[in-house]
Amino acid sequence: MAEEKHHTEHVPEWKKNEIENIMELIQSHKVFGMVGIEGILATKIQKIRRDLKDVAVLKVSRNTLTERALNQLGESIPEMNKYLDKQTALVFTNESPFKLYKVLEQTKTPSPIKGGAIAPEDIIVQKGPTSFPPGPILGELQSAGIPASIDAGKVAVKETKVVCKAGEAVPQKLATMLAKLEIYPLIVGLDLRAAYDNGTIYEPELLAIDESQYFSDITRAAQNAFNLAVNTAYPTSATIGTLLAKAFAESKNLGVNAVVFDSGVMDTLLAKAHVQMTSVASKAADKDANAVDDQLREVLGAAASAAAAAAKVPEKKEEVKEEEKEEEEEEDRSEEDGMAGLGALFG
């Protein structure tokens, strides 16, 4: 106890004030979180702080002072100490951890990579023209491993190429050329490591929610529940209107199909009877028309037969005349032969 008191007495006043300020911020806000700020420029942090002023408070402090403040608060808060790593900042808000995570994700923007930094993923330079005119830049690009040439009066990248693989250190020359080409391999912003809310610690994996998919799932579940309640005739404030409408329609259909003379279905029954009557009349008219057509076909057939028979009569008369003419000629020849025979006899 004496050692702890002796140690506290030698803590500079500014450190005591810093620890007290951290403790006060934690106690006066519903949620606090730890965020990584490694690699973020001071100017970028200042901009993020301004952007967050209506939602959260961002505080940068030494890890040792943050750890002391958490330990003094006790309960489950000291468990947040395991998320202290390298450059860490604290963020305080009265919003939910999910809202905090979403807001912090919006602070992330593409950023150039420094020479010697580790590439978080493959760095690819795409084929195509650049904005640079011919000059020393051509040799600089080539020396950095970027295939470049002159095309249509401009420096152009000849082919798409992976200039640095994930996990490899980025050479200084390459980092400079990437910045000139406006290729920013890094996504820089506040990286939430964990959020503390009323004794519960939330990690990013739990907070990263696809809101559109989540909303779609809830909508689908509500629709499925509604359909189930209607199909099982389960009355609720949401389904009673649909159930009554369904019951009314089914009872009306039953009355129509069973021909029940009720004021609620008479209009439908009369309309149905009218349709049936019209259909029967139409079929009868079609039947009469077919009978007339048959009679007409019979008359036309008889007329055609008569005409054909009449056409054959002159042909037969001509044949008779020809036969009679031939018979007369034969008789004449017989008479002539007889006369010739008598002449010879008496001659």
Side-chain angles (χ1 to χ4, degrees):
M1 190 69 172
E3 291 181 1
E4 183 178 350
K5 183 177 180 181
H6 178 74
H7 179 73
T8 304
E9 289 176 351
H10 289 80
V11 174
E13 191 66 25
W14 70 269
K15 289 186 177 181
K16 293 180 181 179
N17 294 336
E18 184 71 4
I19 292 172
E20 290 178 0
N21 182 242
I22 294 173
M23 294 171 62
E24 181 182 350
L25 287 169
I26 292 175
Q27 292 173 331
S28 61
H29 290 84
K30 179 176 177 291
V31 174
F32 85 94
M34 290 188 180
V35 295
I37 57 174
E38 186 176 5
I40 305 178
L41 299 177
T43 54
K44 173 73 172 177
I45 292 177
Q46 293 299 327
K47 182 180 183 305
I48 293 175
R49 180 180 278 115
R50 290 193 299 270
D51 293 341
L52 292 177
K53 66 179 182 179
D54 296 329
V55 180
V57 176
L58 180 65
K59 182 174 183 58
V60 179
S61 185
R62 293 185 179 182
N63 288 355
T64 54
L65 300 180
T66 299
E67 184 175 5
R68 286 190 180 184
L70 296 179
N71 289 334
Q72 290 185 32
L73 287 172
E75 298 181 356
S76 58
I77 293 180
E79 295 180 13
M80 290 287 289
N81 281 325
K82 64 182 179 182
Y83 299 101
L84 284 169
D85 183 26
K86 298 180 180 178
Q87 297 181 14
T88 302
L90 299 175
V91 61
F92 309 90
T93 184
N94 288 317
E95 301 289 346
S96 70
F98 297 94
K99 177 68 176 293
L100 176 63
Y101 175 83
K102 182 178 179 180
V103 170
L104 294 181
E105 285 296 299
Q106 294 173 353
T107 68
K108 295 182 178 181
T109 57
S111 178
I113 195 168
K114 297 179 180 179
I118 303 300
E121 56 187 17
D122 289 350
I123 300 177
I124 302 173
V125 177
Q126 298 290 339
K127 176 182 177 180
T130 71
S131 59
F132 302 113
I137 187 69
L138 177 62
E140 294 173 359
L141 289 170
Q142 292 174 341
S143 65
I146 300 174
S149 63
I150 304 299
D151 183 21
K154 293 285 186 179
V155 176
V157 179
K158 296 190 295 182
E159 60 179 295
T160 300
K161 181 180 178 182
V162 177
V163 294
C164 187
K165 294 184 177 181
E168 294 180 351
V170 179
Q172 182 59 52
K173 286 185 178 180
L174 177 60
T176 302
M177 291 300 102
L178 290 175
K180 288 185 177 182
L181 292 172
E182 296 183 350
I183 297 175
Y184 304 137
L186 298 179
I187 302 297
V188 175
L190 300 181
D191 187 19
L192 183 64
R193 296 174 186 165
Y196 181 90
D197 180 14
N198 193 28
T200 302
I201 296 176
Y202 296 88
E203 295 186 342
E205 293 76 13
L206 294 175
L207 301 175
I209 294 177
D210 186 342
E211 293 184 6
S212 60
Q213 182 62 43
Y214 191 72
F215 181 78
S216 176
D217 291 344
I218 292 177
T219 302
R220 189 183 304 110
Q223 186 61 53
N224 291 339
F226 179 84
N227 293 339
L228 178 61
V230 170
N231 292 330
T232 57
Y234 184 78
T236 67
S237 59
T239 61
I240 191 64
T242 303
L243 288 173
L244 290 175
K246 182 181 178 184
F248 175 77
E250 291 175 349
S251 63
K252 186 173 182 178
N253 290 337
L254 177 61
V256 171
N257 294 329
V259 193
V260 177
F261 297 109
D262 182 80
S263 60
V265 296
M266 283 303 297
D267 290 345
T268 305
L269 287 174
L270 291 173
K272 181 179 179 182
H274 182 268
V275 171
Q276 292 174 344
M277 178 192 69
T278 305
S279 177
V280 170
S282 177
K283 290 180 180 179
D286 292 341
K287 184 177 181 181
D288 293 341
N290 291 334
V292 172
D293 289 343
D294 291 340
Q295 292 176 0
L296 182 59
R297 279 194 292 270
E298 290 178 2
V299 172
L300 292 175
S305 299
K312 293 180 179 180
V313 171
E315 295 179 359
K316 292 182 178 180
K317 290 181 178 180
E318 291 293 332
E319 290 177 359
V320 171
K321 289 181 180 180
E322 289 292 333
E323 291 178 356
E324 291 176 351
K325 185 177 181 181
E326 289 178 358
E327 290 178 356
E328 291 176 356
E329 290 177 353
E330 289 181 0
E331 290 177 356
D332 292 340
R333 283 195 296 271
S334 297
E335 292 178 356
E336 290 177 358
D337 290 344
M339 292 299 292
L342 292 174
L345 179 60
F346 298 101

